[in-house]
Amino acid sequence: MKKILILLLVLPFFAANAQYRTPVVRKDIPLDSIRLSDPFILADKKTATYYMTGTGGMLWKSKDLKKWTGPFHITQPDTTSWMGNNPMIWAAEIHQYKNKYYYFATFTNRKVFIDTVKGTPIERRASHILVSDKPDGPYVPMADPTYLPADKPTLDGTFWVDTNGKPYMVYCYEWLQNWDGTIEKIELKPDLSGSVGDGVLLFKASESPWSKERNAEGKVIPNKVTDGPWLFYTKTGKLGMLWTSWIFDVYTQGVVYSKSGTLNGPWIQEAQPITPPNFGHGMMFRTFEGKLLMSLHSHKDVNGRTIRIPHLFEVDDSGDKLIVGKRYQP
């Protein structure tokens, strides 16, 4: 667990500094040559372009998924807000909704601390939403300065419209404070410019049958990390959610299904991970030709430094449960 904590606290430092340097735009870059955590791909039919973002808050563009151009700087957060003038950006997503594009991302102010738990100082971190008229931005603030409580570290917010027609943010309440990470939902205003009411628990990390870690006594227990929720329907109408945790020191992609078919659950965990080891923070999109793909990243140690590489897998959603197939080569 110590290794995981170091990765979570140290690696984003490099992304935070990189995202505010003027990016050098490169062309015709293969996907596996890009270094990117939490890769999210929007297939925008209006512009016939794939847009990829993720941790670091930058944007890449492609017409065919083979060659990419970027990175581009596309966010303009409010530097007078709680985020501060140099916020880190994690796990960004772009969602099209009612003729606008919304940038869901985790922002961290490294100069503000909200708590200290078991000797670890916890920075001000929260999921937030920016808006733009175009998929490539710029993305700017909306009405509400905060969506989630200031005294809780939250991350990896994603978007879902439930069967009641209401929009929601689904996000993680980070394990660093509660030591049993959760995935929760909060209702959003109709234009996504703020949140309504309080967050509601969907499930806890400890409910997973496959994630594992060792406690201080060496006993194997469920891992405490919840990462990267992403919601979907199968073609049979089954509501599911991708989410990520760890099996000891291996990042691992899991899936959970809602018994009721709504966000209210109950959420039933699958017994086994859905992808091979060392892949996680997955999301799905359909190519312009109609093929369903999962985008996610792997970890690789290079000279003592962990790098993260985006990948694509083919997915079959024709039944009640997803089946992840072979690696996709554009």
Side-chain angles (χ1 to χ4, degrees), residues 207-278:
E207 296 173 27
S208 165
W210 53 262
S211 67
K212 297 177 178 64
E213 64 175 276
R214 294 187 187 275
N215 63 15
E217 292 75 38
K219 181 181 178 181
V220 176
I221 61 173
N223 201 286
K224 58 178 67 67
V225 174
T226 50
D227 244 11
W230 169 263
L231 291 127
F232 62 90
Y233 282 122
T234 67
K235 288 184 177 178
T236 63
K238 191 79 170 286
L239 176 62
M241 184 194 307
L242 300 174
W243 73 286
T244 301
S245 191
W246 296 76
I247 299 178
F248 302 115
D249 62 347
V250 179
Y251 203 51
T252 304
Q253 181 68 68
V255 66
V256 60
Y257 293 95
S258 170
K259 189 173 181 179
S260 68
T262 73
L263 284 179
N264 292 330
W267 290 90
I268 310 301
Q269 300 285 343
E270 288 292 279
Q272 299 296 329
I274 196 170
T275 64
N278 192 31

Side-chain angles (χ1 to χ4, degrees), residues 81 115 120 144 150 156 178 191 255 285 319 329:
S81 72
D115 202 354
T120 299
D144 286 11
D156 294 359
N178 61 23
D191 63 355
V255 66
F285 68 98
Q329 300 296 334

Side-chain angles (χ1 to χ4, degrees), residues 167-242:
Y168 291 86
M169 180 193 291
V170 175
Y171 61 92
C172 301
Y173 172 25
E174 192 171 26
W175 66 274
L176 286 173
Q177 187 177 55
N178 61 23
W179 276 70
D180 188 3
T182 66
I183 290 184
E184 305 181 359
K185 69 170 183 176
I186 192 167
E187 184 181 341
L188 299 173
K189 294 178 180 179
D191 63 355
L192 313 191
S193 65
S195 58
V196 178
D198 299 321
V200 176
L201 174 68
L202 301 185
F203 62 87
K204 299 179 179 180
S206 59
E207 296 173 27
S208 165
W210 53 262
S211 67
K212 297 177 178 64
E213 64 175 276
R214 294 187 187 275
N215 63 15
E217 292 75 38
K219 181 181 178 181
V220 176
I221 61 173
N223 201 286
K224 58 178 67 67
V225 174
T226 50
D227 244 11
W230 169 263
L231 291 127
F232 62 90
Y233 282 122
T234 67
K235 288 184 177 178
T236 63
K238 191 79 170 286
L239 176 62
M241 184 194 307
L242 300 174

Side-chain angles (χ1 to χ4, degrees), residues 20-302:
Y20 290 98
R21 294 196 296 264
T22 300
V24 177
V25 175
R26 298 175 291 156
K27 296 182 178 180
D28 298 329
I29 306 300
L31 182 65
D32 59 7
S33 294
I34 297 172
R35 301 296 172 255
L36 180 66
S37 301
D38 316 324
F40 180 100
I41 297 176
L42 171 72
D44 186 63
K45 293 182 179 180
K46 187 182 297 184
T47 58
T49 302
Y50 298 101
Y51 298 91
M52 182 170 65
T53 187
T55 288
M58 297 295 183
L59 185 76
W60 293 81
K61 304 177 185 180
S62 176
K63 290 292 185 179
D64 57 9
L65 298 176
K66 295 179 182 179
K67 303 294 185 179
W68 294 83
T69 298
F72 300 95
H73 184 78
I74 59 169
T75 58
Q76 296 178 1
D78 181 2
T79 57
T80 67
S81 72
W82 63 267
M83 297 178 190
N85 60 8
N86 191 29
M88 291 194 304
I89 301 177
W90 291 359
E93 302 184 355
I94 300 173
H95 294 271
Q96 185 179 11
Y97 183 63
K98 294 185 176 180
N99 298 317
K100 288 187 180 295
Y101 295 86
Y102 294 89
Y103 201 79
F104 284 63
T106 305
F107 295 87
T108 301
N109 187 336
R110 305 201 74 205
K111 295 182 179 179
V112 176
F113 296 90
I114 60 172
D115 202 354
T116 299
V117 178
K118 299 189 178 184
T120 299
I122 299 174
E123 299 159 338
R124 178 74 189 275
R125 175 178 303 125
S127 295
H128 200 82
I129 306 173
L130 306 178
V131 67
S132 178
D133 292 324
K134 301 184 300 180
D136 53 355
Y139 287 89
V140 299
M142 291 187 281
D144 286 11
T146 60
Y147 284 76
L148 296 162
D151 60 349
K152 291 183 177 181
T154 57
L155 70 161
D156 294 359
T158 191
F159 181 53
W160 189 250
V161 178
D162 211 7
T163 54
N164 59 10
K166 294 180 179 179
Y168 291 86
M169 180 193 291
V170 175
Y171 61 92
C172 301
Y173 172 25
E174 192 171 26
W175 66 274
L176 286 173
Q177 187 177 55
N178 61 23
W179 276 70
D180 188 3
T182 66
I183 290 184
E184 305 181 359
K185 69 170 183 176
I186 192 167
E187 184 181 341
L188 299 173
K189 294 178 180 179
D191 63 355
L192 313 191
S193 65
S195 58
V196 178
D198 299 321
V200 176
L201 174 68
L202 301 185
F203 62 87
K204 299 179 179 180
S206 59
E207 296 173 27
S208 165
W210 53 262
S211 67
K212 297 177 178 64
E213 64 175 276
R214 294 187 187 275
N215 63 15
E217 292 75 38
K219 181 181 178 181
V220 176
I221 61 173
N223 201 286
K224 58 178 67 67
V225 174
T226 50
D227 244 11
W230 169 263
L231 291 127
F232 62 90
Y233 282 122
T234 67
K235 288 184 177 178
T236 63
K238 191 79 170 286
L239 176 62
M241 184 194 307
L242 300 174
W243 73 286
T244 301
S245 191
W246 296 76
I247 299 178
F248 302 115
D249 62 347
V250 179
Y251 203 51
T252 304
Q253 181 68 68
V255 66
V256 60
Y257 293 95
S258 170
K259 189 173 181 179
S260 68
T262 73
L263 284 179
N264 292 330
W267 290 90
I268 310 301
Q269 300 285 343
E270 288 292 279
Q272 299 296 329
I274 196 170
T275 64
N278 192 31
F279 292 96
H281 206 107
M283 57 80 59
M284 295 186 295
F285 68 98
R286 289 196 184 274
T287 67
F288 298 130
E289 295 74 35
K291 183 180 290 291
L292 183 63
L293 299 179
M294 181 182 293
S295 173
L296 68 182
H297 75 256
S298 67
H299 294 134
K300 183 178 181 180
D301 186 279
V302 178

